[in-house]
Amino acid sequence: KYILPQLPEIVDVEQEFRYRLARGIYLKGKIDAVSVDGLIEHKTTGNYITDEYMYKVDFMNDQVSNYLIAKEETRPVTYTVITKPTIRLKKTETLDEYIERCEAWYDEDTERKIRVFTVSRTKEELEEQRKNLVAMAKEIIKVILEIIEALVQRERKETKDR
């Protein structure tokens, strides 16, 4: 009623990806949906959708950038956000009655509960994110190798002390 009419035709859902960022470094994940117009990301929130929330999604969300990098996509991502209903099923009502109450709940103040919008990234922003991902992965690999080396050294010392 609120979201589907605003979405382009969906061609795939829960699409998994594995994208090579650099030698031995891969970006792996799952995209909620792919449409004829690009990627779709669905989110739920326990709060009303405020301008602050929208800002965080648009400017502070690496997930969108990662999807665009992995799919080598430059078109905006369609984002759907829905607030989880604050009403619960009453012991005395049927599921159909509860669904009807939920629909009425969403009908009231819809703009604060449901949003469909697009999030864009420039090629420069995507390249910067790709570089950051590679740097983070290399740092993680370095730390893991240091831990392994420390464990090997400790094992050698314990073996020598026996």
Side-chain angles (χ1 to χ4, degrees), residues 53-73:
Y53 180 89
M54 299 286 285
Y55 176 83
K56 286 179 183 177
V57 167
D58 194 8
F59 295 105
M60 300 177 73
N61 188 333
D62 290 339
Q63 186 176 20
V64 167
S65 298
N66 295 345
Y67 289 168
L68 291 170
I69 291 167
K71 298 305 289 180
E72 297 179 339
E73 183 68 69

Side-chain angles (χ1 to χ4, degrees), residues 89-147:
L89 179 67
K90 296 177 182 177
K91 291 180 183 180
T92 58
E93 74 183 336
T94 66
L95 183 57
D96 286 341
E97 290 169 332
Y98 173 65
I99 290 171
E100 192 174 305
R101 275 194 318 115
C102 284
E103 287 176 355
W105 185 83
Y106 281 112
D107 283 339
E108 189 177 302
D109 204 13
T110 304
E111 183 71 11
R112 291 179 61 206
K113 297 173 185 171
I114 299 173
R115 297 267 183 104
V116 177
F117 57 98
T118 58
V119 176
S120 300
R121 297 289 186 266
T122 65
K123 287 181 181 181
E124 294 78 18
E125 287 171 324
L126 294 176
E127 181 57 24
E128 183 69 24
Q129 175 65 6
R130 190 194 68 71
K131 287 177 183 175
N132 288 340
L133 289 169
V134 170
M136 277 191 292
K138 286 180 177 180
E139 186 63 27
I140 290 168
I141 291 167
K142 179 182 167 193
V143 169
I144 290 171
L145 291 174
E146 288 171 357
I147 291 169

Side-chain angles (χ1 to χ4, degrees), residues 145-157:
L145 291 174
E146 288 171 357
I147 291 169
I148 291 170
E149 180 61 28
L151 291 171
V152 167
Q153 293 298 330
R154 187 173 78 188
E155 181 66 27
R156 285 183 182 152
K157 184 180 182 309

Side-chain angles (χ1 to χ4, degrees), residues 41-54:
E41 176 65 14
H42 299 292
K43 291 288 181 206
T44 59
T45 178
N47 302 310
Y48 286 121
I49 304 162
T50 62
D51 289 341
E52 181 182 348
Y53 180 89
M54 299 286 285

Side-chain angles (χ1 to χ4, degrees), residues 35 37-40 64 68 73-79 117-121:
S35 78
D37 290 342
L39 308 177
I40 299 173
V64 167
L68 291 170
E73 183 68 69
T74 55
R75 294 177 290 179
V77 172
T78 300
Y79 232 92
F117 57 98
T118 58
V119 176
S120 300
R121 297 289 186 266

